[in-house]
Amino acid sequence: MSGSIPFYQKHHRHYDRGYRSKGTESKMSQYQSTSRYTGGSSISTTGRSSGLKVSSYSGLEASRLSPVPKRAKPTYLAVDKENQIIGYVVPIFRGSEEFATGFSDTEEARVRNTSAHMARRDLFTRGLEMERSEVISRKEAIRESAERISLTKTIHEHEEHFKHMNEDSLMHAPEFVIKPRSHTVWEKQCVRLHCTVSGWPEPRVVWYKNNVSIDPLANPGKYKLESRYGVHSLEINRCDFDDTAQYHVSAMNSKGELSAYASVVVKRFKGEIDESLPAPRYGPVSEYGITFQTHIVDNFGVSFGREGETMSLGCTVIIYPALHRYQPDVQWYRDDVLLSPSKWHHMHWSGDRATLTLTHLNKEDEGLYTLRVSTKSGYETYSAYVFVRDADAELEGAPGAPLDVRCLDANKDYIIVTWKQPAVDGGSSILGYFVDRCEIGTTHWIQCNDTPVKFARFPVTGLVEGRSYSFRVRAVNKSGMSRPSRVSEPVAAMDPADRARMRGTSAPWTGQIIVTEEEPAEGVVPGRPRELQVTEATKNYVVLSWNPPGEKGLEGVMYYVEKCVSGTDSWQRVNTEIPVRSPRFALFDLAEGKSYSFRVRCCNSAGVGEPSDPTEATTVGDKLDIPSAPGKVIPTRNTDTSVVVSWEASRDARELVGYYIEGSVVGSNVWEPCNNKPVNATRFICHGLMTGEKYVFRVRAVNAAGISQFSQESEAVEVKAAIASPSPPYGITVLECVHDSMVLAWKQPNFIGGADITGYFVDYREVIDGVPGKWHEANIKSISERAYRVSDLKENKKYQFQVRAANMAGVGIPSLPSDTFLCEEWTIAVPGPPHDLLLRDVRNDSLVLLWKPPVYQGRDPVSGYYIDIKEADAPEEAWRGVNNKATEKTYFKINNLNEGETYVFRVRAQNKAGVGKTSDITEPVPALTKPGTKEIVVNVDDDGVISLNFECCDLKPDSKFVWSKNYEEITDTSRLSVETKGNKSKAVFNTPAEEDIGIYSCLVTHTDGASSSYNLNEEELKKLLEISHEHKFPIIPLKSELAVEMLEKGKVRFWLQAEKMSANGKIDYVFNDNALSQGEKYKMNFDKNSGVIEMIMDSLTPADEGTFTFQLQDGKATNQSSLVLIGDVFKELQKESEFQRKEWFRKQGPHFIEYLGYEVTPECCVILKCKVGNIKKETTALWSKDGREIKSDQHLGFTEGVLKLEIAQISKKDSGVYEVVLKDDRGKDTSTLNLTDQGFKDLMNQVFTFIANSSTPLKITSTDKGIRLYTFVSYYNDLLQVTWHYKDAAIAFSDRIKSGVVGDQLWLQITEPTEKDMGKYAIEFHDGKGGLRRTVELCGQAFDDAFAEFHRLKAAAIAEKNRARVAGGLPDVVTIQEGKALCLTCNISGDPAPEVTWLKNDREITSDDHCILKFESGKFASFTITAVNTSDTGKYSILVKNKYGTESGDFTVSVFIPEEAGGKKK
């Protein structure tokens, strides 16, 4: 061990100075001043005598002397000379000083003072030299230790590098070099658990508290986790009693996992109570005289979820007496199996509420969930079932996902995966299952089988030893694949013996040495495997298992498997390439129906051993049969939403997994699963059924081989609550007492047993000196009221009472005995308490309170009542009155409640003497409107019958509707008749009148208080009577009144529309009180589907002026509508009719649909167009302007609908009257367009608008004359009017400022601009409307740039005008005969006059007698050669130059000799 411990383990901190109290630190500092070692004199002596030293010194000394960085922490390890760890040094002051000594405060102070005095005296007597020598020696020892640590660290880093370079050869499972130790600490102290873990690959370390992983982020500041160089620590800050627990650390890598355990116990000083600290979890319990009472309230009910959803189950737990921070033992079970926190189950305890959260529902989560709350006084439980339905299939018709995937018989390279078949097959039988695996640490799933297996168990082979895997299963049918199941728990592929050895916890030292394994013997061939057997055989595979050979210590044993067909001696090796390492093997690809024998051989590096004894012949096929169908199925009523189903178990079923139950509504033939997880019992409660429906059930059995056939269908059963006897009444009170009798009152049982209570029975007994006597019956015949006078009592005697309720199922158990009451006559003047308080119509902000008058009236009759209210959890002082004025009624509506708040109420009666006793308070009621609550609806039918209607959604089979007026049940049916059908009830007023005014209410029995009220006051009654009258004497409603409209040919249509009329409806048409009938002049029509009634006249004449009326009658409903047509209204209608008539005749030939108009295109072209209709081939169109023909279309196609005349560039000459004439043999039609005066102006303004919109933004440019502003338009028209503006004022043009048009450019020229010309310029286009402006700012940098460019261009223009130029006169080539004279002259310009230079062949020449050069008048330059010769041939140039520029002119002179020319000609 000494050679393998790395450096960081040798200086690992296993004890923290934070454990100590301040007093202990003071003691330690004094103690260390006299001793070099903290272990005490006996320990240090032992250490020196055995050659050891203790490397434990105070952190203070280390910080002063050690060269190690300050972050190094003090250690408490014992090491030898070679710095190897050999044990621990236990500090002597582990606990509290006061607790250790047991001294009182005074004694402790005296001892502390004495110790300090002795320490100071020893310090002074030692002498300065001894102290110095000790410091020097200590420094040297620490320096040597630091150098040794540095060297060891270098070696360790080299070893780590070697490990990374040779990972495969060094891989090994986690191993705890140093395990965490258990600690006992005091409250408020910190504790740190340490461990050192080796392993390759580097293990992942997780800390747990009571098997729940510790998350530092969930408790900030409470836990601190550290991991450095394989040293892992858990620090718990400020321990309290909740930290007392078992902690364990788990290390895991691909080679396996290992755990180590330690306990932490937190103690408190005796007699010290700190209110800020939590009380111990076990608290003051029964041994201190306290008995806990546990109640589980606010329970969760039967719950339904779907795969993939999240569900929370919670209960409120009340523990009395309530102790601060007392925590009971809260446990959750599913199907009687304890649940532990995991990623699937989150458990939470808030101090008064236990919650279980199922984070991701799967069918494995289905079952009976039980909450168990345990205290030292006992425990309470609550249970409810959770159903999990399949998630929606990804493919329609696909089966549900398998469930409960588990891994069995895990070996080095072989694991058996099992699962349970789903209840839902998708409508077609399941063909088989696919098994997938995923290596832990990856997300890649690999399918393990190529073909689906029907058996719900499959051996997975080909795994890598030491790696961990998860598995999932998918079902497949002809429609497709199901969703994958929930993944299995991870399992490592390793030898079971290794797994057991790795997971084993360390046992305390016993002094014995047990040899568990021999050293492997090399070179020895292994013997025969033992006990070979076939453990499982299906038609898909056969599984063999055996035990290793008996010889121990053999090196690297592996196995070969051989098979032989029965009846032959030919053995064939199955795994020819790779021997298996596990004593398990699965054989595939065997012929179904054939028989085989098997044997196994061992092998190692020394060779292959002898084969094992062969197995007996095994026939390939399923050995496990599908179970038979279950027997008779019997359903039994349970609740109004559930049925108990029981059945006979399947006969001779082996390895039965459970049963699936299905239910179907009678007649629907649709079967739904009642459970999605097999149940092991032969009885099951099917929940979630519809109340009142009849169901039949059937059952199937399940084992690994498959699912059985369905059982026979059960008999039909109606879903209805089973009847039971009622629970006990409660709240027995005395309403009146005389000398020999008492009037009792009590409250109705909370559970009435599913049937109406038929009566109550009262018992009484006498109580003498606190000892109760025998019970006596007070009534033989049951009583229906919840108040009863018990007679024949003895005056001044004490009595107790009990009450039993009865229904058709029988008499229930009696109530608890009441308080003891004294039988004496009441003589008080005020009334007794009201009783039988009831709550109705509970809503979010209101409710109705009912009560009965007190039995004891007092001295005077009761004159009124007061109602008190308070919040349920408020103290008694919170009672407050609801009404300031006493109400005479025995009911009261309480408003202005706070939604969700829980209230209680009480009532007091008053008479002339005063206010009497308060009633018993009501049960707490929350102000909440329950889901599905309906209100009373008032309805008036077609016959005028007024009714009150109430609907209840939570109706039970035995529920009844009870109608009341002023909260008294209505028994007299002369005024009100009640009709009930299904979940609806209707109260009909026979003859509504003032005597029917009042508050009507409806209560539904056997529900959770379903009720509603309606206040029928005088105003509401009057309104209802009016509506009733309208219904009795109805008026046919009209969608529209009588109206008139024009039709083609000038016909006139009178019409109206009724909302609804039957086929028997009748209409009378009347004009001026005279009935009209169908004829040539009047055409009547009635469309019964749309309710449209119409009368059509061909034309109107003066005789038709008057009033038209339509009279309607449909059964007893009538109505009429009139239209008056007289005076100007009639004349306008007649004129319009005549015009429409003419229009119709016009349209019989070619005609204009749209008359002639114009359109301006973006290109500013004007198009005259009109739309024509009813044309044919012979139709012609003639265009004319001002009576002169301009265009003729002789042949118009039938498809042509538009005639056009385009005016490309319109001008003043295009003004005129345009006309188009359509004509053929059927007639003609004319359309005219006046484009003169205003018409032409409107047209041009539209053209100008297009021109203006096409203009570009104003831009600035410069010329040699000045600055120019310009814009371009797409088209310019001479009639366009524009105005230029300067600083928003029109510009007055002058010689210096001019405007103009060049092509499509409009410009403004500013000649010789100055700074005064700076400002805002604009050009305005006039279009007869608002116009359009384009603006530009000529100022600032824009003006400076333009002004500078103007001067540059001006100077350039001057230079270009005055520079020297050769104006012309010189030829390009001159050919001349030798001896002739040559004279050339050219014009020269330039100001000032240029200088003239002549060049020959780029060399300057001067004037002489042979070549005369002249420049006359500054304008003419001449070149004269008096007699040319051949030497004059060459290139000549004239160069003119002045200050503005230079220019040249070139010509060539060629001289020839006449003889040569003649010779050439020859």
Side-chain angles (χ1 to χ4, degrees):
M1 176 177 174
S2 62
S4 62
I5 297 179
F7 77 97
Y8 50 82
Q9 296 177 4
K10 300 173 183 178
H11 299 273
H12 180 47
R13 178 181 175 187
H14 282 264
Y15 184 74
D16 190 358
R17 292 175 68 247
Y19 289 125
R20 307 175 188 162
S21 63
K22 297 299 182 181
T24 306
E25 290 186 4
S26 174
K27 286 289 185 180
M28 289 297 295
S29 64
Q30 296 176 18
Y31 182 81
Q32 290 172 351
S33 66
T34 60
S35 175
R36 183 175 177 178
Y37 305 105
T38 62
S41 58
S42 62
I43 297 177
S44 60
T45 303
T46 306
R48 288 192 295 270
S49 63
S50 61
L52 304 178
K53 68 178 181 178
V54 179
S55 60
S56 60
Y57 39 83
S58 70
L60 182 61
E61 292 171 349
S63 64
R64 290 201 308 264
L65 305 177
S66 176
V68 181
K70 291 183 179 181
R71 60 188 174 138
K73 299 179 180 180
T75 63
Y76 291 88
L77 301 179
V79 297
D80 58 12
K81 291 182 178 181
E82 297 179 359
N83 203 32
Q84 303 301 320
I85 299 173
I86 61 174
Y88 297 97
V89 175
V90 181
I92 59 171
F93 293 98
R94 296 286 300 273
S96 168
E97 179 183 357
E98 296 178 4
F99 184 79
T101 61
F103 292 157
S104 63
D105 294 343
T106 305
E107 291 174 333
E108 184 58 34
R110 178 175 55 81
V111 173
R112 188 181 296 113
N113 294 335
T114 304
S115 300
H117 173 72
M118 294 298 291
R120 287 195 297 271
R121 185 184 66 181
D122 290 343
L123 285 173
F124 283 106
T125 56
R126 284 177 179 272
L128 184 61
E129 293 300 325
M130 290 183 62
E131 184 177 353
R132 288 179 178 176
S133 63
E134 185 179 33
V135 171
I136 293 172
S137 62
R138 187 176 300 163
K139 288 181 178 180
E140 292 175 353
I142 294 175
R143 189 174 294 108
E144 291 175 1
S145 176
E147 292 173 354
R148 186 161 52 251
I149 291 172
S150 177
L151 177 61
T152 308
K153 180 178 180 181
T154 303
I155 296 173
H156 169 72
E157 291 175 349
H158 176 73
E159 292 176 350
E160 289 296 315
H161 174 71
F162 178 76
K163 287 182 180 180
H164 284 284
M165 298 299 293
N166 300 272
E167 291 186 4
D168 295 337
S169 62
L170 296 176
M171 290 179 63
H172 63 279
E175 179 183 355
F176 283 95
V177 179
I178 298 177
K179 296 183 179 180
R181 295 184 302 146
S182 297
H183 289 272
T184 300
V185 297
W186 296 105
E187 239 177 349
K188 297 185 181 180
Q189 290 184 339
C190 299
V191 67
R192 179 172 293 163
L193 304 179
H194 304 268
C195 68
T196 302
V197 183
S198 65
W200 190 259
E202 184 177 352
R204 176 176 175 266
V205 174
V206 180
W207 289 87
Y208 295 86
K209 173 186 176 182
N210 289 338
N211 296 323
V212 179
S213 62
I214 295 176
D215 183 7
L217 299 179
N219 299 276
K222 183 64 179 177
Y223 300 104
K224 181 179 180 183
L225 301 180
E226 291 186 354
S227 296
R228 295 181 182 177
Y229 306 108
V231 180
H232 307 274
S233 65
L234 166 64
E235 182 177 348
I236 307 172
N237 186 37
R238 290 183 62 84
C239 293
D240 55 30
F241 281 102
D242 288 340
D243 296 316
T244 299
Q246 183 185 55
Y247 295 80
H248 80 268
V249 57
S250 175
M252 182 175 66
N253 64 8
S254 60
K255 300 297 291 182
E257 66 174 304
L258 190 63
S259 298
Y261 294 80
S263 296
V264 173
V265 178
V266 182
K267 288 188 174 182
R268 169 181 290 174
F269 289 110
K270 184 178 180 180
E272 291 189 5
I273 299 297
D274 189 346
E275 294 298 333
S276 64
L277 295 176
R281 71 171 63 238
Y282 43 82
V285 289
S286 57
E287 59 262 36
Y288 292 101
I290 296 180
T291 301
F292 289 103
Q293 296 180 5
T294 305
H295 301 280
I296 300 177
V297 298
D298 192 13
N299 308 321
F300 61 93
V302 175
S303 304
F304 296 87
R306 190 176 293 275
E307 284 186 310
E309 297 176 349
T310 299
M311 178 182 291
S312 291
L313 310 176
C315 292
T316 299
V317 181
I318 300 175
I319 299 177
Y320 181 82
L323 300 180
H324 181 59
R325 293 291 298 274
Y326 174 73
Q327 180 173 338
D329 186 13
V330 179
Q331 295 175 320
W332 288 89
Y333 295 81
R334 180 176 62 230
D335 296 331
D336 297 330
V337 176
L338 179 64
L339 297 180
S340 299
S342 67
K343 66 178 180 179
W344 308 114
H345 316 114
H346 291 175
M347 303 168 186
H348 179 68
W349 169 254
S350 63
D352 61 354
R353 187 169 181 82
T355 305
L356 170 65
T357 301
L358 306 176
T359 57
H360 187 281
L361 283 178
N362 284 94
K363 289 180 287 189
E364 290 86 344
D365 297 318
E366 183 172 296
L368 182 66
Y369 283 79
T370 301
L371 169 65
R372 178 185 173 115
V373 181
S374 302
T375 64
K376 290 296 182 69
S377 302
Y379 66 88
E380 287 290 332
T381 62
Y382 173 77
S383 301
Y385 213 90
V386 171
F387 293 86
V388 181
R389 297 186 176 94
D390 284 285
D392 293 335
E394 295 178 346
L395 295 173
E396 186 177 358
L403 65 152
D404 202 13
V405 180
R406 298 174 182 267
C407 299
L408 307 177
D409 200 14
N411 278 273
K412 298 179 182 178
D413 55 1
Y414 163 89
I415 291 175
I416 291 182
V417 179
T418 68
W419 60 91
K420 294 177 182 176
Q421 299 91 334
V424 177
D425 58 12
S428 58
S429 59
I430 294 177
L431 302 177
Y433 303 89
F434 287 102
V435 180
D436 305 330
R437 75 169 185 262
C438 177
E439 186 175 342
I440 299 301
T442 70
T443 58
H444 180 57
W445 288 92
I446 301 174
Q447 187 171 299
C448 301
N449 53 318
D450 297 329
T451 58
V453 295
K454 280 199 169 183
F455 209 73
R457 192 156 53 230
F458 184 76
V460 178
T461 59
L463 306 179
V464 179
E465 183 180 358
R467 297 186 180 178
S468 296
Y469 298 87
S470 290
F471 298 88
R472 69 183 187 187
V473 182
R474 295 169 294 153
V476 62
N477 64 4
K478 67 179 183 181
S479 297
M481 195 82 67
S482 73
R483 293 177 179 268
S485 66
R486 175 185 281 182
V487 298
S488 68
E489 293 295 329
V491 61
M494 60 191 305
D495 192 290
D498 295 339
R499 181 182 290 104
R501 184 166 54 253
M502 290 181 62
R503 290 186 175 178
T505 57
S506 58
W509 173 252
T510 61
Q512 298 180 354
I513 299 177
I514 301 174
V515 178
T516 59
E517 188 175 353
E518 297 178 0
E519 292 294 327
E522 299 182 0
V524 179
V525 177
R528 299 169 180 263
R530 298 175 295 124
E531 300 178 13
L532 174 64
Q533 59 181 343
V534 177
T535 59
E536 189 171 344
T538 69
K539 64 182 180 181
N540 298 102
Y541 60 88
V542 171
V543 178
L544 303 178
S545 67
W546 61 89
N547 292 332
E551 299 87 351
K552 295 184 178 179
L554 296 177
E555 172 257 337
V557 177
M558 293 184 289
Y559 307 94
Y560 285 110
V561 179
E562 299 176 352
K563 68 178 179 180
C564 173
V565 178
S566 297
T568 67
D569 293 331
S570 175
W571 288 91
Q572 178 183 359
R573 183 171 292 178
V574 178
N575 54 331
T576 56
E577 298 180 357
I578 302 175
V580 296
R581 306 182 63 179
S582 301
R584 305 285 188 277
F585 189 73
L587 291 86
F588 298 89
D589 300 328
L590 300 177
E592 184 178 358
K594 282 190 176 183
S595 296
Y596 294 87
S597 295
F598 307 94
R599 67 185 186 185
V600 181
R601 293 176 183 265
C602 296
C603 67
N604 62 5
S605 59
V608 180
E610 292 298 320
S612 66
D613 295 332
T615 64
E616 296 181 358
T618 302
T619 302
V620 177
D622 291 334
K623 302 301 181 184
L624 183 64
D625 295 328
I626 295 176
S628 61
K632 185 178 181 181
V633 180
I634 302 175
T636 308
R637 284 172 53 185
N638 186 40
T639 69
D640 54 3
T641 59
S642 65
V643 169
V644 178
V645 179
S646 58
W647 60 91
E648 294 180 2
S650 298
R651 295 182 180 179
D652 303 325
R654 294 190 299 130
E655 300 182 21
L656 189 65
V657 173
Y659 298 90
Y660 282 125
I661 303 96
E662 293 186 359
S664 173
V665 177
V666 173
S668 68
N669 202 27
V670 176
W671 292 91
E672 295 290 341
C674 297
N675 62 316
N676 283 286
K677 180 179 178 182
V679 295
N680 296 322
T682 57
R683 180 181 181 273
F684 187 72
I685 302 177
C686 300
H687 289 274
L689 308 179
M690 291 184 290
T691 304
E693 292 286 355
K694 290 187 177 181
Y695 283 81
V696 292
F697 298 90
R698 63 186 185 184
V699 185
R700 290 189 293 177
V702 184
N703 67 2
I707 302 179
S708 74
Q709 296 295 323
F710 285 105
S711 67
Q712 292 184 354
E713 293 182 10
S714 69
E715 294 181 357
V717 60
E718 183 180 359
V719 181
K720 185 177 180 181
I723 298 176
S725 57
S727 61
Y730 63 99
I732 301 175
T733 58
V734 175
L735 302 181
E736 184 185 33
C737 184
V738 295
H739 65 281
D740 61 350
S741 65
M742 291 184 184
V743 178
L744 305 179
W746 55 89
K747 295 182 180 178
Q748 178 176 293
N750 293 324
F751 174 69
I752 64 174
D756 291 332
I757 292 179
T758 57
Y760 297 91
F761 294 92
V762 181
D763 300 332
Y764 68 95
R765 66 183 177 185
E766 187 176 353
V767 179
I768 301 175
D769 296 332
V771 178
K774 185 179 179 181
W775 287 107
H776 301 279
E777 295 180 349
N779 60 313
I780 304 299
K781 186 178 179 181
S782 64
I783 53 177
S784 58
E785 296 293 331
R786 289 195 299 275
Y788 181 69
R789 181 179 295 275
V790 181
S791 304
D792 299 328
L793 301 179
K794 298 177 182 179
E795 189 173 5
N796 297 325
K797 297 293 184 179
K798 295 182 179 179
Y799 292 90
Q800 286 182 341
F801 303 90
Q802 67 180 16
V803 184
R804 290 172 293 171
N807 61 7
M808 60 183 302
V811 180
I813 61 176
S815 65
L816 294 175
S818 68
D819 295 337
T820 302
F821 301 115
L822 178 63
C823 182
E824 63 177 359
E825 187 165 0
W826 289 359
T827 59
I828 56 177
V830 295
H835 66 99
D836 203 8
L837 274 64
L838 298 176
L839 297 171
R840 298 278 181 85
D841 306 347
V842 179
R843 302 294 185 264
N844 290 334
D845 58 351
S846 65
L847 56 80
V848 175
L849 178 64
L850 313 179
W851 62 90
K852 290 184 179 179
V855 177
Y856 179 74
Q857 297 286 317
R859 185 182 303 165
D860 300 295
V862 173
S863 59
Y865 301 91
Y866 291 98
I867 298 94
D868 297 335
I869 183 177
K870 81 175 184 69
E871 289 73 16
D873 55 354
E876 286 295 317
E877 296 78 9
W879 283 105
R880 58 191 181 275
V882 174
N883 54 326
N884 296 324
K885 183 179 179 181
T887 177
E888 297 179 357
K889 299 180 179 63
T890 56
Y891 57 87
F892 194 87
K893 184 172 183 178
I894 303 170
N895 297 303
N896 302 321
L897 302 180
N898 295 324
E899 182 177 354
E901 185 67 62
T902 302
Y903 296 92
V904 291
F905 304 90
R906 68 185 185 188
V907 182
R908 294 170 294 153
Q910 79 165 7
N911 59 10
K912 291 182 179 180
V915 179
K917 295 182 179 180
T918 60
S919 67
D920 282 350
I921 64 173
T922 63
E923 294 295 322
V925 57
L928 285 174
T929 303
K930 295 178 180 178
T933 298
K934 304 289 185 180
E935 301 293 347
I936 291 178
V937 178
V938 183
N939 181 51
V940 182
D941 63 14
D942 294 339
D943 296 326
V945 177
I946 302 173
S947 62
L948 305 177
N949 300 268
F950 185 60
E951 179 182 358
C952 179
C953 299
D954 300 328
L955 201 67
K956 303 295 188 298
D958 297 327
S959 296
K960 296 179 181 178
F961 290 86
V962 180
W963 287 91
S964 302
K965 179 181 179 183
N966 296 330
Y967 301 100
E968 293 182 3
E969 185 176 352
I970 298 174
T971 58
D972 183 10
T973 59
S974 61
R975 305 295 308 168
L976 201 68
S977 301
V978 177
E979 302 173 6
T980 301
K981 185 177 181 180
N983 65 337
K984 298 179 180 179
S985 182
K986 177 168 67 174
V988 180
F989 290 96
N990 298 332
T991 54
E994 290 186 4
E995 55 188 288
D996 292 315
I997 293 175
I999 299 176
Y1000 291 85
S1001 64
C1002 185
L1003 171 69
V1004 185
T1005 63
H1006 298 284
T1007 62
D1008 193 11
S1011 62
S1012 180
S1013 299
Y1014 175 76
N1015 186 7
L1016 182 62
N1017 53 34
E1018 185 177 354
E1019 182 180 354
E1020 188 70 16
L1021 178 62
K1022 182 179 179 181
K1023 179 179 176 182
L1024 291 174
L1025 290 175
E1026 291 176 356
I1027 298 174
S1028 176
H1029 182 269
E1030 292 176 0
H1031 287 199
K1032 287 181 180 180
F1033 308 99
I1035 296 176
I1036 299 175
L1038 300 180
K1039 288 186 177 180
S1040 62
E1041 297 289 341
L1042 185 60
V1044 64
E1045 65 179 8
M1046 287 294 164
L1047 304 179
E1048 62 178 9
K1049 294 186 182 182
K1051 294 182 178 181
V1052 181
R1053 175 179 180 248
F1054 297 88
W1055 70 280
L1056 62 77
Q1057 185 177 10
E1059 285 191 4
K1060 183 180 180 182
M1061 282 188 69
S1062 67
N1064 298 323
K1066 178 183 177 183
I1067 300 95
D1068 292 329
Y1069 305 87
V1070 179
F1071 173 65
N1072 292 339
D1073 298 330
N1074 296 319
L1076 303 179
S1077 59
Q1078 188 89 359
E1080 293 183 1
K1081 185 174 182 179
Y1082 303 104
K1083 305 292 189 299
M1084 289 91 166
N1085 183 39
F1086 172 33
D1087 188 344
K1088 297 180 176 61
N1089 294 326
S1090 62
V1092 174
I1093 304 167
E1094 63 181 4
M1095 182 181 71
I1096 300 174
M1097 300 174 62
D1098 290 337
S1099 62
L1100 289 178
T1101 64
D1104 297 321
E1105 183 176 3
T1107 302
F1108 293 85
T1109 303
F1110 286 7
Q1111 296 177 348
L1112 288 66
Q1113 183 175 1
D1114 187 6
K1116 63 180 182 179
T1118 60
N1119 204 343
Q1120 72 175 24
S1121 182
S1122 300
L1123 181 65
V1124 179
L1125 296 179
I1126 58 176
D1128 293 339
V1129 174
F1130 177 77
K1131 292 178 181 178
E1132 288 293 331
L1133 185 62
Q1134 186 183 18
K1135 182 178 178 182
E1136 178 68 17
S1137 174
E1138 187 65 26
F1139 172 77
Q1140 293 293 343
R1141 186 176 183 83
K1142 292 179 180 179
E1143 277 290 292
W1144 183 84
F1145 284 109
R1146 181 180 70 85
K1147 293 179 180 179
Q1148 300 311 302
H1151 63 277
F1152 292 95
I1153 298 175
E1154 294 179 4
Y1155 288 100
L1156 190 60
Y1158 61 81
E1159 176 186 351
V1160 180
T1161 67
E1163 294 79 15
C1164 296
C1165 293
V1166 177
I1167 299 176
L1168 306 183
K1169 63 178 183 178
C1170 57
K1171 190 173 182 180
V1172 298
N1174 198 17
I1175 61 176
K1176 60 181 182 178
K1177 291 182 179 180
E1178 293 77 10
T1179 304
T1180 60
L1182 180 64
W1183 289 82
S1184 61
K1185 175 191 174 189
D1186 297 332
R1188 300 177 62 184
E1189 182 179 344
I1190 57 176
K1191 182 181 179 182
S1192 177
D1193 291 334
Q1194 299 294 335
H1195 301 288
L1196 298 177
F1198 284 103
T1199 58
E1200 294 185 24
V1202 178
L1203 299 180
K1204 295 182 180 181
L1205 176 65
E1206 182 176 344
I1207 305 174
Q1209 294 183 352
I1210 193 167
S1211 62
K1212 187 67 176 178
K1213 65 181 180 178
D1214 296 315
S1215 173
V1217 178
Y1218 291 83
E1219 184 180 72
V1220 182
V1221 178
L1222 288 175
K1223 64 180 180 178
D1224 58 19
D1225 57 353
R1226 297 171 296 170
K1228 72 174 183 178
D1229 197 7
T1230 304
S1231 179
T1232 303
L1233 177 63
N1234 187 354
L1235 292 182
T1236 61
D1237 300 330
Q1238 188 60 41
F1240 185 76
K1241 287 183 180 180
D1242 294 340
L1243 171 61
M1244 293 309 299
N1245 284 335
Q1246 192 170 346
V1247 173
F1248 297 155
T1249 299
F1250 277 96
I1251 295 175
N1253 291 331
S1254 70
S1255 63
T1256 63
L1258 274 180
K1259 295 185 179 179
I1260 304 172
T1261 188
S1262 300
T1263 66
D1264 58 347
K1265 302 296 184 190
I1267 297 175
R1268 175 172 290 188
L1269 309 180
Y1270 67 93
T1271 180
F1272 286 96
V1273 294
S1274 60
Y1275 163 76
Y1276 178 75
N1277 190 284
D1278 293 337
L1279 300 177
L1280 177 65
Q1281 297 180 2
V1282 298
T1283 303
W1284 288 89
H1285 296 268
Y1286 172 62
K1287 294 183 179 180
D1288 296 329
I1291 297 176
F1293 296 107
S1294 62
D1295 292 339
R1296 196 175 73 86
I1297 299 177
K1298 299 179 181 179
S1299 67
V1301 179
V1302 177
D1304 292 333
Q1305 185 189 61
L1306 285 75
W1307 52 265
L1308 175 69
Q1309 180 72 37
I1310 306 173
T1311 306
E1312 294 297 332
T1314 64
E1315 291 184 356
K1316 293 182 179 180
D1317 297 316
M1318 295 173 62
K1320 177 180 178 182
Y1321 288 83
I1323 181 173
E1324 181 179 6
F1325 296 87
H1326 299 281
D1327 59 1
K1329 300 175 184 177
L1332 178 70
R1333 279 196 180 197
R1334 303 288 187 187
T1335 61
V1336 68
E1337 291 284 347
L1338 184 61
C1339 58
Q1341 188 64 39
F1343 178 81
D1344 295 342
D1345 295 343
F1347 191 75
E1349 180 66 11
F1350 154 65
H1351 281 288
R1352 186 188 69 77
L1353 294 176
K1354 181 179 179 181
I1358 293 174
E1360 180 65 21
K1361 177 181 179 182
N1362 297 326
R1363 71 179 177 87
R1365 298 176 184 269
V1366 179
L1370 293 178
D1372 292 334
V1373 178
V1374 177
T1375 303
I1376 191 170
Q1377 184 178 343
E1378 187 179 21
K1380 296 290 183 177
L1382 175 62
C1383 182
L1384 299 175
T1385 303
C1386 64
N1387 296 328
I1388 304 299
S1389 64
D1391 186 18
E1395 298 176 359
V1396 180
T1397 305
W1398 293 90
L1399 303 174
K1400 178 183 178 183
N1401 295 331
D1402 296 332
R1403 290 188 176 183
E1404 183 178 353
I1405 58 177
T1406 59
S1407 180
D1408 56 18
D1409 294 339
H1410 179 69
C1411 182
I1412 301 172
L1413 306 175
K1414 293 182 179 179
F1415 180 53
E1416 298 175 346
S1417 302
K1419 295 182 179 180
F1420 307 105
S1422 62
F1423 174 84
T1424 304
I1425 301 176
T1426 55
V1428 298
N1429 53 47
T1430 56
S1431 63
D1432 295 324
T1433 300
K1435 176 184 176 183
Y1436 291 85
S1437 301
I1438 181 172
L1439 182 67
V1440 294
K1441 178 180 180 183
N1442 66 3
K1443 66 179 182 178
Y1444 293 114
T1446 304
E1447 191 173 81
S1448 63
D1450 300 328
F1451 61 93
T1452 302
V1453 175
S1454 176
V1455 181
F1456 66 89
I1457 302 173
E1459 293 78 6
E1460 294 178 358
K1464 290 178 181 179
K1465 291 178 181 179
K1466 293 177 182 180

